[in-house]
Amino acid sequence: MEHSSQVRLNVNGESHVLDLDNRTTLLDALREHLHLNGTKKGCDHGQCGACTVMVGGERINSCLSLAVMHHGDEVVTIEGLGEPGNLHPMQAAFIKHDGFQCGYCTPGQICSSVAVLEEIKANIPSHVTSDLTTPVQLTADEVRERMSGNICRCGAYANIIDAISDVGGVRA
């Protein structure tokens, strides 16, 4: 019985071929094999969102997903969004609005925030979308609902909502 596989991942625009144990999570492939330590291991149960990355433009908890499931997929981590001197607008907004304290959850929060704005732009409703016959609006309630899977133990939620709203072009 084969216990490992060769997995090709396109991470932050760069192709990688990895020989991985079939039980390796995407989170562990990113951190331990590709040395991209921005994505954090929080609860390792998919409850905190510290490990949020984008796969094919959608946000996922990388601790709950096996790397072999993403053979050939496009993965974007916090390192792929921007860099010092050339920050992604969401990274800059988190700094501007003080959307972090300890910073541990910040990479997952930012990746999730970028995807939230794309979900709203794509008119994907959430549990609090009140009118399914009109385009989804960027509101504080929409942002809170969509970001509910990302926990900040420092309690910077109000500033995070301000950052997302700023990038989305709305004052919450």
Side-chain angles (χ1 to χ4, degrees):
M1 179 177 215
E2 186 71 26
H3 296 291
S4 65
S5 298
Q6 198 171 66
V7 179
R8 183 178 50 79
L9 300 171
N10 187 333
V11 182
N12 302 328
E14 188 175 317
S15 185
H16 301 273
V17 177
L18 304 170
D19 289 314
L20 298 173
D21 183 298
N22 292 332
R23 300 166 294 182
T24 303
T25 64
L26 180 57
L27 172 62
D28 288 337
L30 295 170
R31 288 183 60 80
E32 296 174 17
H33 296 270
L34 297 179
H35 309 291
L36 296 170
N37 295 319
T39 305
K40 302 299 187 225
K41 185 177 281 200
C43 67
D44 218 15
H45 289 58
Q47 297 174 342
C48 73
C51 66
T52 304
V53 298
M54 293 176 285
V55 177
E58 295 183 15
R59 58 196 168 125
I60 67 163
N61 291 332
S62 61
C63 73
L64 294 181
S65 195
L66 297 175
V68 295
M69 296 168 53
H70 298 290
H71 181 75
D73 285 351
E74 300 280 333
V75 179
V76 177
T77 69
I78 191 69
E79 292 92 347
L81 287 178
E83 55 192 39
N86 188 27
L87 296 178
H88 183 280
M90 191 64 73
Q91 292 170 312
F94 264 64
I95 293 168
K96 174 182 173 185
H97 292 281
D98 198 22
F100 57 91
Q101 285 182 33
C102 79
Y104 195 82
C105 72
T106 305
Q109 295 273 4
I110 290 173
C111 285
S112 193
S113 298
V114 169
V116 159
L117 291 181
E118 291 303 315
E119 290 168 9
I120 292 171
K121 192 183 304 179
N123 205 34
I124 299 170
S126 77
H127 291 292
V128 299
T129 303
S130 59
D131 183 358
L132 299 179
T133 63
T134 62
V136 176
Q137 299 297 309
L138 175 65
T139 65
D141 285 344
E142 279 289 344
V143 172
R144 281 188 202 96
E145 169 64 22
R146 292 169 191 267
M147 293 295 293
S148 64
N150 290 84
I151 296 172
C152 173
R153 285 170 172 62
C154 299
Y157 295 115
N159 299 348
I160 291 168
I161 291 171
D162 287 347
I164 297 167
S165 298
D166 190 2
V167 174
V170 175
R171 200 61 198 137

